[in-house]
Amino acid sequence: MAAQDTPPAKRGRKRAVGEDEVVAAAIRLLGARGADAVSIRGIAAELGLAPNAVYTYFPDRAAVIGAVVEHLLGETDLAALAARDTPWRDRVHALAADLRRRLLAHPGAVNLLLSGPMDGPNALALGEALLAALADAGLDPTEAARASYLLIVQVLGAIALEAAELPSPAPAPPVDERVAARREQLRAVPADRYPRTAGAADTIAAYVSDEQYAWGLDRVLDGIAGRAKG
């Protein structure tokens, strides 16, 4: 009597993920544990998968980081920057405020932005819209390109300094709380040794305020406006 064939064991269904899920997992890790936690293995563990499943979509950590940066930049409101019925300075201020709000919600993302080139489609779209706004300001193409770089350095530099002071990868506490904490720290500065610092303590404490951020941007925009034709 021929032996009966043994039916094959049923295999568990493989969980399918897409690029969006991988990026979302990376952003969750970024918010919970900081940039160092965003690794292929870390993302795989977050999703309950083997690392090879992540490698299906991204060849390495750098590619994941690039996708995270692209995702965050893709949330920026470019329509406000392109609104030609709004003065160009107001449009740049709107962009700068939007970037600050979004990035300080993910402080670890600031270092990611600064760790590599911003050359994806969303980054290029943002740069193109900024160049268009500066052309509306009266700058020629060369001056607009230089001014665009200057603005990016000002905006991302200011945000990076803010993010560096935050105690955890969680979203930034309210500005008033951060200013108060800085003011308390400055009280420990010996006034006899650093009289100018002690005398300017209230202003220095407010370096992370909305007002200071806008003030610094306005000084840069004043210089850019001075380069505009007519």
Side-chain angles (χ1 to χ4, degrees):
M1 184 175 184
Q4 293 182 350
D5 292 335
T6 302
K10 292 183 179 180
R11 296 181 180 179
R13 293 178 62 187
K14 292 184 178 180
R15 184 185 169 199
V17 299
E19 291 185 18
D20 290 346
E21 285 187 82
V22 173
V23 171
I27 291 174
R28 288 197 300 272
L29 286 172
L30 190 63
R33 294 163 51 194
D36 291 343
V38 183
S39 65
I40 297 296
R41 288 188 176 277
I43 293 168
E46 174 72 13
L47 291 171
L49 302 170
N52 284 346
V54 179
Y55 284 120
T56 300
Y57 301 101
F58 298 99
D60 50 31
R61 180 179 185 270
V64 176
I65 298 306
V68 169
V69 170
E70 270 288 284
H71 175 84
L72 295 174
L73 291 178
E75 294 180 336
T76 305
D77 184 8
L78 294 186
L81 185 59
R84 301 191 70 180
D85 56 340
T86 302
W88 70 273
R89 289 181 68 132
D90 292 345
R91 290 148 61 187
V92 174
H93 266 286
L95 170 67
D98 189 39
L99 281 172
R100 180 170 176 249
R101 177 177 60 83
R102 294 183 186 281
L103 291 178
L104 289 183
H106 306 282
V110 181
N111 285 334
L112 299 185
L113 271 172
L114 299 178
S115 66
M118 292 188 293
D119 56 2
N122 291 333
L124 290 172
L126 190 155
E128 186 74 10
L130 182 55
L131 288 170
L134 292 168
D136 290 343
L139 298 181
D140 64 37
T142 298
E143 291 282 303
R146 288 175 170 169
S148 175
Y149 180 71
L150 176 61
L151 285 168
I152 290 169
V153 169
Q154 169 66 26
V155 168
L156 293 186
I159 296 171
L161 288 174
E162 281 194 66
E165 291 190 6
L166 299 177
S168 74
V175 170
D176 289 348
E177 290 182 17
R178 290 190 283 145
V179 171
R182 286 171 56 85
R183 187 178 292 113
E184 188 65 27
Q185 292 173 347
L186 286 164
R187 288 178 181 171
V189 174
D192 57 335
R193 294 178 59 188
Y194 308 103
R196 295 182 186 276
T197 300
D202 286 344
T203 300
I204 295 171
Y207 280 173
V208 296
S209 67
D210 299 342
E211 292 78 13
Q212 174 64 34
Y213 184 69
W215 185 93
L217 182 58
D218 269 327
R219 301 294 75 75
V220 173
L221 294 177
D222 288 344
I224 290 173
R227 305 288 298 184
K229 295 180 179 179

